[in-house]
Amino acid sequence: MKRILVTGGAGFLGSHLCDRLRAQGHEVVCVDNFHTGSKANIAHLLGDPAFEMIRHDVTEPLYLQVDQIFNLACPASPVYYQADPIHTMKTSVLGAINALGLSRRTGARNLLASTSEVYGDPLVHPQPESYWGNVNPHGLRSCYDEGKRSAESLYFDYRRRHQLPVKIVRIFNTYGPRMQPDDGRVVSNFILQALKEQPITIFGDGSQTRSFCYVDDLIDGFLRMMETPDDQIGPVNLGNPEEHTMVEIAELVRELTGSRSKLVFADLPADDPKRRKPDISLARKTLNWQPTVSLETGLGRTIAYFEWLLSHPDEPFAAPAVTLQERASEVRA
């Protein structure tokens, strides 16, 4: 049993990670400022004596005794990270410094959740970890893109200077239950518009592509990366290499929801990547990891979650969550 810190633990990915860690029997300390995270995501854990919630902004130092750190704190959707770009950059950079400082004091292993956005609008396809990227350093997305690039640099410098046991994963598009309804991401937008029988908005001509990984697969990649030997730092791409156009995703959502929504097209946002697909050769080799949940299955689970939210607008804290017993059974299986 380890004591594990999850920064951003009340967010979409962080809350699922907290669930998995508790199911494995670990003590979990969840830190979140609730800028984009939600208490509803962790409400089912609050009565658990091995789960601790601390309201805290990672731009300020945190003093704890822990064995491992999963540093997930940062707004991850354009709607959120562009709302306060200066704080987004501070969260990535100061958050990394403070998390690394905690590792120096405790010797805790420290995993940074970086992003595929470090590749920018890529000129190489699919994107391997060796690709340095094509990033606009002063565009609307740069607060997030360059913030994560800076965080990666800090993790490597702390490793070289202080021999810290650090890990870096680069997350590609991920979806699943507990996505925020208003986060502006493709999957949540399409599902909600389809369920409400509203026009499904596609930016650009719909030919741009993304690769979507279900949240359970991604969390499995986190856990495997954390347990690799100290000399395996990364970065390692985690994502689904199955590529789909925006039109294909919209059509599939419409089919799975039985919606009669029409597709409408709008201007493509500035610096929006035209193609995004991970090369996961390194994850397959070093982590024995690859996604296992099909897009149809994952979308079905996500649609069911949003259907529940729409039918229970006044009960966000009662949103269905996988119980620890069910999750533990999955882990044992």
Side-chain angles (χ1 to χ4, degrees), residues 227-295:
E227 298 306 320
T228 56
D230 284 351
D231 61 351
Q232 292 187 24
I233 302 167
V236 174
N237 288 339
L238 294 179
N240 195 322
E242 190 176 287
E243 192 175 11
H244 298 275
T245 67
M246 296 298 95
V247 169
E248 288 171 348
I249 296 296
E251 293 286 7
L252 181 56
V253 167
R254 193 161 58 173
E255 176 186 340
L256 292 173
T257 57
S259 175
R260 294 166 295 181
S261 295
K262 297 184 182 300
L263 306 186
V264 297
F265 297 84
D267 292 338
L268 195 67
D271 300 324
D272 194 61
K274 308 302 185 300
R275 301 187 75 183
R276 184 58 58 75
K277 174 183 176 179
D279 180 335
I280 62 168
S281 302
L282 186 59
R284 286 192 176 107
K285 178 180 178 182
T286 62
L287 307 180
N288 191 27
W289 178 91
Q290 64 180 14
T292 61
V293 179
S294 70
L295 184 60

